[in-house]
Amino acid sequence: MEESQELALTQFRKSVEKLSSSTEGYEAPTLMRFLVARSMNPDKAAKMFVDWQKWRASLVPPNGITDSEVKDELDFRKVCLQGPTKSGHPMVLVITSKHFPAKDHVIFKKFVVHVLDKTIASGIKGKEVGDEKLVAVIDLSNITYKNLDARGLITGFQFLQSYYPERLAKCYILHMPGFFLTVWRFVCRFLDKATKEKIVIVTDGEEERKFKEEIGVDALPEEYGGSAKLTLIQDVLLPQTIRRDVSQDGNFGLDIFVCGDQIRKGAALNAVQIAEMLL
């Protein structure tokens, strides 16, 4: 790490402490995401970091948001989890024609967090580094006015900007109909410059070719010109989905406790039986 980054990290940690919080337990790549998101300004990054900690504590339970908590949103079968892309990132695909504005916006917010957390977790190889990213694809084909949800779209992007800084590698928007342009212009008012620069609206043959090339045939579903099968996010099983560690915004882990009643049976058997009950 460059000396200037080390200095910024030191100042960032001190600024967080001044806000009565702590960076203990967070690795440098995680902290750097907040610094990069705030143009390496330690004080602004510290405020963003502390705001994220408070938000996370208020909305997300210690063990994460489970499928059952957002079942109504999952039942629309509108989000798929694919990947890895050619760049090595997981890809979350939103089929907008299956989406309808949420009646309960709190549940919808939890759904967004659930999707983002699981997408990031699917890209973790072994142990989380802290700078893992995701690729988003928003498919607007076959949408009608019933599917329009500017509030929901703004929520998703604002969460990425405020609480998942530097997690978005790229966002592709496919098949945008003419009547959606007014909605999109309104949504763009709530997007910062860095987010806008990562969004690609695929409108012609050359852009579509480049989109397919960047995603890669192995990650792209058959419906979009690739060779992969569409996989609903609720059907994706991760090796680590039992315990949510809120010290990181994408760190999942499984703890197995070995009980000590080896008089009747061995500790290993106990561990296996406990794991079976949990799973």
Side-chain angles (χ1 to χ4, degrees), residues 84-111:
T85 63
K86 188 177 288 187
S87 57
H89 306 311
M91 183 185 87
V92 59
L93 167 66
V94 181
I95 304 172
T96 316
S97 61
K98 296 183 179 182
H99 170 77
F100 300 93
K103 296 179 181 179
D104 188 330
H105 201 60
V106 174
I107 295 297
F108 180 74
K109 288 181 178 180
K110 290 186 176 183
F111 174 68

mmCIF file of all heavy atoms in Angstrom, residues 84-111:
data_model
loop_
_atom_site.group_PDB
_atom_site.id
_atom_site.type_symbol
_atom_site.label_atom_id
_atom_site.label_comp_id
_atom_site.label_asym_id
_atom_site.label_seq_id
_atom_site.Cartn_x
_atom_site.Cartn_y
_atom_site.Cartn_z
ATOM 1 N N PRO A 84 -19.260 -16.744 -11.927
ATOM 2 C CA PRO A 84 -18.657 -15.415 -12.024
ATOM 3 C C PRO A 84 -18.566 -14.916 -13.469
ATOM 4 O O PRO A 84 -18.535 -15.700 -14.402
ATOM 5 C CB PRO A 84 -17.258 -15.615 -11.442
ATOM 6 C CG PRO A 84 -16.947 -17.048 -11.746
ATOM 7 C CD PRO A 84 -18.258 -17.782 -11.631
ATOM 8 N N THR A 85 -18.529 -13.589 -13.615
ATOM 9 C CA THR A 85 -18.366 -12.981 -14.923
ATOM 10 C C THR A 85 -16.911 -13.131 -15.357
ATOM 11 O O THR A 85 -16.067 -13.634 -14.612
ATOM 12 C CB THR A 85 -18.726 -11.490 -14.883
ATOM 13 O OG1 THR A 85 -17.810 -10.820 -13.994
ATOM 14 C CG2 THR A 85 -20.143 -11.281 -14.382
ATOM 15 N N LYS A 86 -16.600 -12.650 -16.548
ATOM 16 C CA LYS A 86 -15.230 -12.751 -17.051
ATOM 17 C C LYS A 86 -14.259 -12.008 -16.140
ATOM 18 O O LYS A 86 -13.090 -12.391 -16.011
ATOM 19 C CB LYS A 86 -15.164 -12.191 -18.471
ATOM 20 C CG LYS A 86 -13.817 -12.439 -19.150
ATOM 21 C CD LYS A 86 -13.805 -11.927 -20.581
ATOM 22 C CE LYS A 86 -14.650 -12.799 -21.493
ATOM 23 N NZ LYS A 86 -14.504 -12.392 -22.925
ATOM 24 N N SER A 87 -14.746 -10.964 -15.475
ATOM 25 C CA SER A 87 -13.900 -10.193 -14.554
ATOM 26 C C SER A 87 -13.813 -10.835 -13.178
ATOM 27 O O SER A 87 -13.118 -10.321 -12.288
ATOM 28 C CB SER A 87 -14.427 -8.756 -14.426
ATOM 29 O OG SER A 87 -15.772 -8.760 -13.984
ATOM 30 N N GLY A 88 -14.556 -11.949 -12.980
ATOM 31 C CA GLY A 88 -14.484 -12.667 -11.716
ATOM 32 C C GLY A 88 -15.511 -12.253 -10.683
ATOM 33 O O GLY A 88 -15.479 -12.739 -9.544
ATOM 34 N N HIS A 89 -16.441 -11.380 -11.070
ATOM 35 C CA HIS A 89 -17.438 -10.900 -10.114
ATOM 36 C C HIS A 89 -18.756 -11.666 -10.259
ATOM 37 O O HIS A 89 -19.126 -12.063 -11.370
ATOM 38 C CB HIS A 89 -17.718 -9.412 -10.334
ATOM 39 C CG HIS A 89 -16.500 -8.548 -10.312
ATOM 40 N ND1 HIS A 89 -15.559 -8.615 -9.311
ATOM 41 C CD2 HIS A 89 -16.050 -7.600 -11.191
ATOM 42 C CE1 HIS A 89 -14.606 -7.741 -9.549
ATOM 43 N NE2 HIS A 89 -14.871 -7.117 -10.688
ATOM 44 N N PRO A 90 -19.500 -11.844 -9.165
ATOM 45 C CA PRO A 90 -20.840 -12.415 -9.292
ATOM 46 C C PRO A 90 -21.759 -11.427 -9.992
ATOM 47 O O PRO A 90 -21.528 -10.208 -9.946
ATOM 48 C CB PRO A 90 -21.267 -12.642 -7.836
ATOM 49 C CG PRO A 90 -20.473 -11.654 -7.056
ATOM 50 C CD PRO A 90 -19.155 -11.530 -7.768
ATOM 51 N N MET A 91 -22.786 -11.936 -10.657
ATOM 52 C CA MET A 91 -23.710 -11.083 -11.399
ATOM 53 C C MET A 91 -25.126 -11.268 -10.874
ATOM 54 O O MET A 91 -25.645 -12.381 -10.821
ATOM 55 C CB MET A 91 -23.680 -11.427 -12.886
ATOM 56 C CG MET A 91 -24.568 -10.536 -13.735
ATOM 57 S SD MET A 91 -24.606 -11.066 -15.473
ATOM 58 C CE MET A 91 -25.920 -12.280 -15.420
ATOM 59 N N VAL A 92 -25.747 -10.164 -10.467
ATOM 60 C CA VAL A 92 -27.134 -10.199 -10.035
ATOM 61 C C VAL A 92 -27.990 -9.641 -11.170
ATOM 62 O O VAL A 92 -27.718 -8.566 -11.711
ATOM 63 C CB VAL A 92 -27.343 -9.409 -8.723
ATOM 64 C CG1 VAL A 92 -26.930 -7.954 -8.858
ATOM 65 C CG2 VAL A 92 -28.786 -9.524 -8.250
ATOM 66 N N LEU A 93 -28.995 -10.405 -11.559
ATOM 67 C CA LEU A 93 -29.859 -10.056 -12.693
ATOM 68 C C LEU A 93 -31.271 -9.789 -12.181
ATOM 69 O O LEU A 93 -31.874 -10.640 -11.518
ATOM 70 C CB LEU A 93 -29.870 -11.201 -13.708
ATOM 71 C CG LEU A 93 -30.939 -11.167 -14.803
ATOM 72 C CD1 LEU A 93 -30.709 -9.978 -15.735
ATOM 73 C CD2 LEU A 93 -30.937 -12.472 -15.596
ATOM 74 N N VAL A 94 -31.794 -8.619 -12.492
ATOM 75 C CA VAL A 94 -33.145 -8.244 -12.076
ATOM 76 C C VAL A 94 -34.057 -8.264 -13.299
ATOM 77 O O VAL A 94 -33.843 -7.514 -14.254
ATOM 78 C CB VAL A 94 -33.173 -6.853 -11.422
ATOM 79 C CG1 VAL A 94 -34.597 -6.503 -10.983
ATOM 80 C CG2 VAL A 94 -32.216 -6.788 -10.244
ATOM 81 N N ILE A 95 -35.071 -9.128 -13.256
ATOM 82 C CA ILE A 95 -36.045 -9.214 -14.345
ATOM 83 C C ILE A 95 -37.214 -8.311 -13.971
ATOM 84 O O ILE A 95 -38.114 -8.690 -13.212
ATOM 85 C CB ILE A 95 -36.505 -10.669 -14.552
ATOM 86 C CG1 ILE A 95 -35.288 -11.569 -14.800
ATOM 87 C CG2 ILE A 95 -37.485 -10.771 -15.717
ATOM 88 C CD1 ILE A 95 -35.607 -13.045 -14.837
ATOM 89 N N THR A 96 -37.183 -7.098 -14.486
ATOM 90 C CA THR A 96 -38.096 -6.050 -14.018
ATOM 91 C C THR A 96 -39.558 -6.337 -14.327
ATOM 92 O O THR A 96 -40.453 -5.866 -13.614
ATOM 93 C CB THR A 96 -37.686 -4.701 -14.628
ATOM 94 O OG1 THR A 96 -36.273 -4.558 -14.545
ATOM 95 C CG2 THR A 96 -38.324 -3.548 -13.872
ATOM 96 N N SER A 97 -39.837 -7.104 -15.373
ATOM 97 C CA SER A 97 -41.227 -7.403 -15.728
ATOM 98 C C SER A 97 -41.920 -8.248 -14.656
ATOM 99 O O SER A 97 -43.146 -8.359 -14.647
ATOM 100 C CB SER A 97 -41.295 -8.133 -17.072
ATOM 101 O OG SER A 97 -40.592 -9.360 -17.021
ATOM 102 N N LYS A 98 -41.129 -8.828 -13.744
ATOM 103 C CA LYS A 98 -41.700 -9.626 -12.657
ATOM 104 C C LYS A 98 -41.744 -8.848 -11.339
ATOM 105 O O LYS A 98 -42.089 -9.406 -10.298
ATOM 106 C CB LYS A 98 -40.880 -10.916 -12.468
ATOM 107 C CG LYS A 98 -40.925 -11.848 -13.666
ATOM 108 C CD LYS A 98 -40.165 -13.129 -13.384
ATOM 109 C CE LYS A 98 -40.239 -14.083 -14.575
ATOM 110 N NZ LYS A 98 -39.532 -15.362 -14.291
ATOM 111 N N HIS A 99 -41.374 -7.573 -11.419
ATOM 112 C CA HIS A 99 -41.355 -6.738 -10.210
ATOM 113 C C HIS A 99 -42.575 -5.824 -10.171
ATOM 114 O O HIS A 99 -43.012 -5.297 -11.200
ATOM 115 C CB HIS A 99 -40.098 -5.874 -10.177
ATOM 116 C CG HIS A 99 -40.121 -4.829 -9.105
ATOM 117 N ND1 HIS A 99 -39.885 -5.112 -7.782
ATOM 118 C CD2 HIS A 99 -40.392 -3.491 -9.173
ATOM 119 C CE1 HIS A 99 -39.981 -4.010 -7.071
ATOM 120 N NE2 HIS A 99 -40.297 -3.010 -7.887
ATOM 121 N N PHE A 100 -43.094 -5.628 -8.958
ATOM 122 C CA PHE A 100 -44.197 -4.694 -8.737
ATOM 123 C C PHE A 100 -43.872 -3.868 -7.500
ATOM 124 O O PHE A 100 -43.259 -4.377 -6.559
ATOM 125 C CB PHE A 100 -45.524 -5.437 -8.560
ATOM 126 C CG PHE A 100 -45.901 -6.280 -9.752
ATOM 127 C CD1 PHE A 100 -45.543 -7.621 -9.818
ATOM 128 C CD2 PHE A 100 -46.583 -5.728 -10.829
ATOM 129 C CE1 PHE A 100 -45.855 -8.396 -10.915
ATOM 130 C CE2 PHE A 100 -46.898 -6.496 -11.938
ATOM 131 C CZ PHE A 100 -46.530 -7.833 -11.983
ATOM 132 N N PRO A 101 -44.252 -2.585 -7.497
ATOM 133 C CA PRO A 101 -43.943 -1.737 -6.335
ATOM 134 C C PRO A 101 -44.394 -2.392 -5.034
ATOM 135 O O PRO A 101 -45.500 -2.923 -4.942
ATOM 136 C CB PRO A 101 -44.732 -0.449 -6.620
ATOM 137 C CG PRO A 101 -44.818 -0.400 -8.112
ATOM 138 C CD PRO A 101 -44.968 -1.832 -8.552
ATOM 139 N N ALA A 102 -43.510 -2.365 -4.042
ATOM 140 C CA ALA A 102 -43.771 -3.047 -2.776
ATOM 141 C C ALA A 102 -44.844 -2.326 -1.963
ATOM 142 O O ALA A 102 -44.882 -1.098 -1.908
ATOM 143 C CB ALA A 102 -42.485 -3.145 -1.964
ATOM 144 N N LYS A 103 -45.703 -3.107 -1.329
ATOM 145 C CA LYS A 103 -46.703 -2.544 -0.424
ATOM 146 C C LYS A 103 -46.062 -2.171 0.905
ATOM 147 O O LYS A 103 -46.475 -1.227 1.562
ATOM 148 C CB LYS A 103 -47.834 -3.554 -0.207
ATOM 149 C CG LYS A 103 -48.628 -3.870 -1.467
ATOM 150 C CD LYS A 103 -49.719 -4.886 -1.197
ATOM 151 C CE LYS A 103 -50.501 -5.207 -2.464
ATOM 152 N NZ LYS A 103 -51.554 -6.229 -2.228
ATOM 153 N N ASP A 104 -45.061 -2.935 1.304
ATOM 154 C CA ASP A 104 -44.333 -2.681 2.551
ATOM 155 C C ASP A 104 -42.903 -2.309 2.180
ATOM 156 O O ASP A 104 -42.096 -3.164 1.833
ATOM 157 C CB ASP A 104 -44.349 -3.939 3.433
ATOM 158 C CG ASP A 104 -43.774 -3.689 4.822
ATOM 159 O OD1 ASP A 104 -42.887 -2.819 4.945
ATOM 160 O OD2 ASP A 104 -44.190 -4.368 5.775
ATOM 161 N N HIS A 105 -42.575 -1.013 2.264
ATOM 162 C CA HIS A 105 -41.260 -0.569 1.813
ATOM 163 C C HIS A 105 -40.145 -1.023 2.742
ATOM 164 O O HIS A 105 -38.992 -1.167 2.308
ATOM 165 C CB HIS A 105 -41.229 0.954 1.676
ATOM 166 C CG HIS A 105 -40.137 1.450 0.775
ATOM 167 N ND1 HIS A 105 -40.037 1.096 -0.561
ATOM 168 C CD2 HIS A 105 -39.066 2.253 1.023
ATOM 169 C CE1 HIS A 105 -38.976 1.661 -1.102
ATOM 170 N NE2 HIS A 105 -38.364 2.364 -0.163
ATOM 171 N N VAL A 106 -40.443 -1.246 4.002
ATOM 172 C CA VAL A 106 -39.428 -1.748 4.940
ATOM 173 C C VAL A 106 -38.989 -3.145 4.526
ATOM 174 O O VAL A 106 -37.796 -3.465 4.517
ATOM 175 C CB VAL A 106 -39.959 -1.753 6.394
ATOM 176 C CG1 VAL A 106 -38.949 -2.426 7.326
ATOM 177 C CG2 VAL A 106 -40.235 -0.329 6.856
ATOM 178 N N ILE A 107 -39.964 -3.982 4.162
ATOM 179 C CA ILE A 107 -39.644 -5.331 3.694
ATOM 180 C C ILE A 107 -38.835 -5.258 2.404
ATOM 181 O O ILE A 107 -37.887 -6.028 2.203
ATOM 182 C CB ILE A 107 -40.924 -6.161 3.470
ATOM 183 C CG1 ILE A 107 -41.643 -6.395 4.802
ATOM 184 C CG2 ILE A 107 -40.592 -7.506 2.818
ATOM 185 C CD1 ILE A 107 -40.843 -7.197 5.813
ATOM 186 N N PHE A 108 -39.193 -4.322 1.541
ATOM 187 C CA PHE A 108 -38.453 -4.183 0.293
ATOM 188 C C PHE A 108 -37.001 -3.791 0.565
ATOM 189 O O PHE A 108 -36.074 -4.299 -0.088
ATOM 190 C CB PHE A 108 -39.104 -3.146 -0.619
ATOM 191 C CG PHE A 108 -38.384 -2.959 -1.926
ATOM 192 C CD1 PHE A 108 -38.472 -3.927 -2.920
ATOM 193 C CD2 PHE A 108 -37.587 -1.842 -2.148
ATOM 194 C CE1 PHE A 108 -37.778 -3.775 -4.127
ATOM 195 C CE2 PHE A 108 -36.897 -1.685 -3.346
ATOM 196 C CZ PHE A 108 -36.996 -2.658 -4.333
ATOM 197 N N LYS A 109 -36.785 -2.892 1.521
ATOM 198 C CA LYS A 109 -35.413 -2.516 1.886
ATOM 199 C C LYS A 109 -34.639 -3.734 2.369
ATOM 200 O O LYS A 109 -33.467 -3.920 2.016
ATOM 201 C CB LYS A 109 -35.430 -1.443 2.975
ATOM 202 C CG LYS A 109 -35.869 -0.070 2.493
ATOM 203 C CD LYS A 109 -35.838 0.932 3.635
ATOM 204 C CE LYS A 109 -36.223 2.320 3.170
ATOM 205 N NZ LYS A 109 -36.194 3.315 4.286
ATOM 206 N N LYS A 110 -35.271 -4.562 3.173
ATOM 207 C CA LYS A 110 -34.611 -5.776 3.654
ATOM 208 C C LYS A 110 -34.307 -6.719 2.499
ATOM 209 O O LYS A 110 -33.273 -7.392 2.479
ATOM 210 C CB LYS A 110 -35.486 -6.479 4.697
ATOM 211 C CG LYS A 110 -35.588 -5.729 6.023
ATOM 212 C CD LYS A 110 -36.353 -6.539 7.055
ATOM 213 C CE LYS A 110 -36.362 -5.825 8.400
ATOM 214 N NZ LYS A 110 -37.040 -6.632 9.447
ATOM 215 N N PHE A 111 -35.211 -6.751 1.531
ATOM 216 C CA PHE A 111 -35.006 -7.588 0.347
ATOM 217 C C PHE A 111 -33.778 -7.121 -0.433
ATOM 218 O O PHE A 111 -32.954 -7.938 -0.874
ATOM 219 C CB PHE A 111 -36.250 -7.536 -0.534
ATOM 220 C CG PHE A 111 -36.108 -8.247 -1.852
ATOM 221 C CD1 PHE A 111 -35.985 -9.629 -1.906
ATOM 222 C CD2 PHE A 111 -36.093 -7.533 -3.049
ATOM 223 C CE1 PHE A 111 -35.855 -10.288 -3.123
ATOM 224 C CE2 PHE A 111 -35.963 -8.182 -4.260
ATOM 225 C CZ PHE A 111 -35.841 -9.562 -4.301
#
